[in-house]
Amino acid sequence: MVELDPLIRAFYAERYVEDDRLVRSGHGRLEFLRTQELIRRYLPGPGATVLDVGGATGVHARWLAADGYVVKLVDPVAEHVATASEVGTFAAMVGDARKLEQADDSVDVTLLFGPLYHLVDAADRAQALAEARRVTRPGGLVVAAGISRYAGLLEYGNKGMLSEDTLPEFEVALTTGRNYDDPTGFTNAYFHHADELRAEFDQAGFDATEVLGVEGPAAATLEHAAPADVPTLLPSAILLARLVENDPNVMSTSFHFLAFGRA
C-alpha cells in the first residue's frame, strides 16, 4: 500500500471526480489544451518512453499513447489505476513518486503532474524530483506541474466569494504555500511561486530548467463561462496564454505552471 495522506486519498475517492476534470469546465479545457501544446513542444519523437507519475485515470497517457509514445502510468490511488488500466493503450500501476519501481536511466520522459502539489513537505518534493531524475536517461526530459500560489485567491476573487471574512482563509497559503483540507474546496496541497518551482528543479540537479504559465490570465474567465460561450472564448484565451507564458509580471495569473528540465 502506497503511503498517501488520508485526506488526499479521501478527496479523490469520495469528493472529486478526476476522470473528467479537464473536460467539464472551460478552464479545464483550457488547461488540457495548453498542457498538450507545451508538452508536445518539448517531447522527443514518437516511440520514446514516457513515465506518467501521478497520471490519475490517464487523461494525458491516453493522448500520449495515441501520439505514438510508449507510456507507463503510475499513481498512488488504486481506483485511478483501475480506471486507467481499462483504456488498454498504455500500462498502469500503483506506485509512489518518492520511490519509483523503474530502473535507473530507463525512460526518455518523466511527467510529474500532481506529486509536487500533493507533497506538502519540501523533503518529499525533493525526493520525488530525485526519483524522476534517477529513472530518466541522461539528457531526457522531466516535466512537473505546480499550482500557482495565487490560484485560490484568484478563483475566490473572480467568483465574488472574496471578502474580509473569507480573506483569512488564504493567509496561510499565501505566506507558506500550504493549503489545508477544505470540505468544500481543495485538499491538502502545496502552492508554488514560479521561481520557487524553478529553484526546486535546479536544486535537484536538472539542466536548462524553464517554468511556463499554463492557462494565462483568462483562466478565471473560462472557469465561470457558460458552456455555450467556451468555444468562442478558448482561441483568444490560448493566444493570450502563449503571449505571456514566460512573462514574470503576469505568469502567476495562470492557475498552473509547468517546469521543464533535462536530466
Side-chain angles (χ1 to χ4, degrees):
M1 176 70 71
V2 173
E3 183 181 345
L4 183 66
D5 185 329
L7 291 172
I8 295 175
R9 186 180 296 280
F11 176 76
Y12 285 108
E14 302 168 10
R15 290 164 41 197
Y16 195 75
V17 180
E18 177 67 21
D19 198 41
D20 66 350
R21 182 178 74 83
L22 297 180
V23 298
R24 66 174 176 253
S25 72
H27 165 246
R29 291 172 63 183
L30 173 62
E31 179 189 342
F32 178 68
L33 291 171
R34 276 285 293 161
T35 299
Q36 277 188 311
E37 176 180 283
L38 291 172
I39 295 173
R40 283 176 170 146
R41 188 186 301 174
Y42 289 85
L43 282 174
T49 54
V50 179
L51 184 64
D52 186 6
V53 183
T57 58
V59 64
H60 294 300
R62 289 181 180 97
W63 66 262
L64 286 162
D67 279 2
Y69 295 92
V70 179
V71 183
K72 176 171 280 189
L73 179 148
V74 176
D75 196 86
V77 180
E79 293 85 355
H80 288 172
V81 173
T83 300
S85 297
E86 294 174 358
V87 178
T89 58
F90 55 87
M93 62 182 292
V94 175
D96 189 326
R98 296 163 294 183
K99 192 175 181 180
L100 296 170
E101 295 186 10
Q102 282 66 36
D104 294 1
D105 306 335
S106 59
V107 300
D108 299 303
V109 179
T110 300
L111 306 179
L112 295 167
F113 290 173
L116 293 197
Y117 52 81
H118 282 317
L119 296 172
V120 297
D121 292 331
D124 284 334
R125 295 195 300 277
Q127 180 62 27
L129 286 171
E131 279 290 273
R133 185 179 176 215
R134 177 184 67 78
V135 303
T136 306
R137 295 187 179 102
L141 178 68
V142 174
V143 188
I147 298 177
S148 168
R149 183 72 64 92
Y150 302 101
L153 188 66
L154 289 168
E155 183 176 5
Y156 262 55
N158 282 278
K159 277 183 176 180
M161 296 171 64
L162 192 63
S163 67
E164 293 298 329
D165 293 330
T166 59
L167 188 58
E169 298 177 26
F170 299 98
E171 290 179 348
V172 172
L174 288 170
T175 303
T176 68
R178 296 187 67 157
N179 178 75
Y180 293 94
D181 192 71
D182 174 1
T184 63
F186 202 41
T187 187
N188 288 1
Y190 188 82
F191 296 168
H192 281 86
H193 290 301
D195 56 357
E196 179 186 19
L197 182 57
R198 183 181 294 107
E200 289 185 358
F201 258 63
D202 292 346
Q203 290 163 10
F206 291 101
D207 292 329
T209 300
E210 186 170 12
V211 177
L212 301 175
V214 176
E215 302 97 334
T221 300
L222 269 291
E223 176 72 15
H224 307 299
D229 294 335
V230 171
T232 302
L233 295 170
L234 261 176
S236 177
I238 289 172
L239 180 58
L240 177 59
R242 287 176 189 152
L243 290 171
V244 300
E245 64 185 23
N246 61 356
D247 186 331
N249 294 307
V250 295
M251 61 187 297
S252 290
T253 59
S254 288
F255 286 3
H256 294 85
F257 305 122
L258 286 183
F260 299 82
R262 295 288 173 182

